[in-house]
Amino acid sequence: MSENHLSALRLKHAELEAQLELEETRPHPDDDLIHRLKKQKLQLKDAMTQEMASA
């Protein structure tokens, strides 16, 4: 079960990265959205770290 959860976290992290890259390349990027995406990515990274430590 732990590996499935970790895989889901990695997938979500990759999706957020893609959204972030897309937003940053727009002519007028939304700074608030970029901030929220970065915060979500960091939270997912922390969750992945905790998941790997408990495995």
Side-chain angles (χ1 to χ4, degrees):
M1 185 65 145
S2 177
E3 189 60 38
N4 287 339
H5 187 241
L6 187 56
S7 294
L9 292 173
R10 286 181 178 146
L11 179 62
K12 182 64 178 171
H13 188 269
E15 290 171 356
L16 288 172
E17 178 64 26
Q19 287 179 333
L20 185 58
E21 287 179 12
L22 182 66
E23 187 61 33
E24 288 178 331
T25 59
R26 286 180 15 150
H28 300 288
D30 182 341
D31 291 333
D32 290 333
L33 178 58
I34 289 172
H35 178 74
R36 286 193 308 270
L37 291 170
K38 286 182 177 182
K39 187 173 182 178
Q40 289 175 3
K41 273 184 57 183
L42 183 58
Q43 289 171 339
L44 282 172
K45 185 177 178 183
D46 290 343
M48 287 188 292
T49 300
Q50 289 178 350
E51 188 72 26
M52 288 187 289
S54 67

